[in-house]
Amino acid sequence: MAAIPTFTGDANPYGGGDPYADYRTADFPFTHLADLADRQLGAAVVAANDEFFAQRENLLLPHRAEFDPERFGHKGKIMDGWETRRRRGASADHPWPTADDHDWALVRLGAPGVIRGIVVDTAHFRGNYPQAVSVEGTSVPGTPSPEDLLGDDVKWTTLVPRTPVGGHAANGFAVSLEQRFTHLRVNQHPDGGIARLRVYGEVVPDPAWLALLGAFDVVALENGGRAEDASNRFYSPPSNTIRPGRSRQMDDGWETRRRRDRGNDWIRYRLVAQSVIRAVEIDTAYLKGNSAGWASVSVRDGDDGEWTEIVPRTRLQPDTNHRFRLPTPTVATHARVDIYPDGGISRLRLHGTLTDAGTTALTARNQELGG
């Protein structure tokens, strides 16, 4: 894997025009994975020690940070991020913060999982970003309160050691720990502002909870499914098709560019574990003049299994949820949706149950990851 680009130091003061014109970023190798800190999955910033200038909740907003140079409030410049007040020392003789002084925010992941990469985005924080950041993770079952998470009995594991960052930049960090985490503690040293936090990884659900559900969506992101690959990601990522709930607008699904050949577009998925599929839903909500014309669904059992078509090529209607009851339940670990010739779908649902082998494998993986 190529080294992760790093950014340090101030960005130039805002000089007018496009506020992102001098924004520093890079193509990080993990951003194709699901954002475990997605608000739609249920993530939240549950506490922070200080949010004097800008609220902690801004960290997880889905859109990129906005900047209005003329927007001020009674506390000062209003920033689209999390910003704390300036720290001070103990006395006039020692006006500077100590080396250990820092601000923190507690983040509950929307879905527990293995973290592969973190982006600490300081967009528009040019001279007021933290000197350094660090990120820790823990795994706590249930719904712990902030006080519970800050208790002495909670063990925190360092995911990103204290590292200098740059202002007005996407600061990316690869994570290589094979552990399952439920919460993060984001630290900025000694103070300052962060615009957005993104936590990329793989969902690892609780097998006991899935067992209680009985039948469930075995490809859903929140249940541990993932979009492994796709033919085209021009307008929106394929992982949108397995996000919770119905699509809320056109870009909350998967849409490809217009094809000018005789081919077709597709997404390949990995299910949470080996499952028995009994029903399929393909939703084209909010895709009206750009819905896929036709779609088919195929599955296979194992990485080298043969693909078997379970929904033949079928005409799709725009802005419509299509439901298919399978005549014969099918065992699978992977699925593939082919759309013809191009366009998009908003959601795919594969309703079924885990096989005994799937339950055993998922339970073993949880134990290996400390879940």
Side-chain angles (χ1 to χ4, degrees):
M1 179 184 295
I4 301 295
T6 58
F7 306 101
T8 56
D10 292 348
N12 292 327
Y14 176 62
D18 178 6
Y20 274 100
D22 59 342
Y23 177 66
R24 295 174 288 177
T25 188
D27 291 328
F28 301 117
F30 42 73
T31 54
H32 66 286
L33 299 171
D35 181 5
L36 303 182
D38 187 343
R39 281 285 299 168
Q40 197 171 348
L41 280 176
V45 187
V46 298
N49 71 305
D50 186 293
E51 46 188 327
F52 185 86
F53 287 112
Q55 293 76 24
R56 65 183 192 262
E57 288 87 357
N58 291 338
L59 281 173
L60 304 187
L61 291 176
H63 54 269
R64 70 179 187 171
E66 299 175 354
F67 180 71
D68 182 349
E70 298 181 356
R71 191 177 181 209
F72 288 83
H74 66 278
K75 291 184 178 180
K77 182 71 185 72
I78 295 176
M79 296 294 291
D80 185 8
W82 168 50
E83 186 180 5
T84 66
R85 73 193 77 198
R86 301 187 187 215
R87 283 184 170 267
R88 298 294 187 235
S91 67
D93 292 333
H94 297 280
W96 310 279
T98 71
D100 294 331
D101 284 345
H102 67 278
D103 292 318
W104 52 264
L106 296 177
V107 177
R108 181 188 69 232
L109 298 180
V114 178
I115 297 169
R116 302 300 184 191
I118 295 173
V119 174
V120 178
D121 190 344
T122 58
H124 314 306
F125 289 94
R126 294 171 177 269
N128 50 347
Y129 59 93
Q131 182 183 35
V133 300
S134 61
V135 183
E136 304 160 279
T138 190
S139 183
V140 180
T143 52
S145 67
E147 292 75 22
D148 294 332
L149 294 169
L150 295 171
D152 294 336
D153 58 333
V154 174
K155 178 184 177 182
W156 291 91
T157 300
T158 299
L159 305 179
V160 177
R162 183 169 175 169
T163 306
V165 294
H168 196 45
N171 301 277
F173 307 93
V175 179
S176 58
L177 292 173
E178 290 294 323
Q179 290 181 240
R180 178 181 184 267
F181 294 101
T182 61
H183 295 77
L184 299 185
R185 183 163 60 190
V186 180
N187 306 303
Q188 46 179 338
H189 308 267
D191 53 37
I194 298 170
R196 296 289 188 267
L197 177 74
R198 303 293 185 242
V199 184
Y200 297 100
E202 300 156 7
V203 176
V204 181
D206 178 0
W209 174 251
L210 296 182
L212 289 173
L213 294 179
F216 61 94
D217 182 359
V218 298
V219 76
L221 183 60
E222 61 191 317
N223 293 334
R226 63 181 187 266
E228 288 191 316
D229 200 4
S231 60
N232 189 274
R233 305 165 187 263
F234 190 84
Y235 286 112
S236 44
S239 58
N240 280 357
T241 61
I242 55 175
R243 295 179 74 191
R246 294 200 74 200
S247 176
R248 296 171 296 178
Q249 58 188 32
M250 190 174 72
D251 65 351
D252 190 19
W254 172 60
E255 182 189 356
T256 71
R257 65 185 305 160
R258 299 185 188 215
R259 296 190 75 96
R260 301 307 186 197
D261 59 20
R262 295 292 181 177
N264 74 285
D265 289 314
W266 52 266
I267 307 175
R268 188 182 73 242
Y269 304 90
R270 179 181 288 272
L271 311 186
V272 54
Q274 188 188 63
S275 306
V276 179
I277 302 171
R278 294 181 172 84
V280 175
E281 291 184 64
I282 300 175
D283 195 354
T284 59
Y286 293 98
L287 294 163
K288 298 182 179 181
N290 48 2
S291 167
W294 291 261
S296 64
V297 181
S298 302
V299 298
R300 73 182 183 193
D301 186 21
D303 291 335
D304 300 321
E306 294 290 329
W307 289 103
T308 301
E309 192 173 70
I310 59 173
V311 176
R313 191 181 305 188
T314 302
R315 189 73 166 95
L316 298 183
Q317 299 301 316
D319 197 25
T320 301
N321 191 29
H322 309 75
R323 292 178 172 176
F324 306 92
R325 178 178 177 180
L326 301 186
T328 303
T330 304
V331 174
T333 58
H334 296 73
R336 173 176 165 134
V337 172
D338 285 87
I339 63 170
Y340 302 88
D342 56 21
I345 63 173
S346 62
R347 292 292 187 270
L348 173 73
R349 304 298 186 210
L350 302 178
H351 301 288
T353 55
L354 294 180
T355 64
D356 290 343
T359 299
T360 299
L362 185 59
T363 301
R365 177 161 168 73
N366 256 268
Q367 293 172 346
E368 291 170 2
L369 296 173

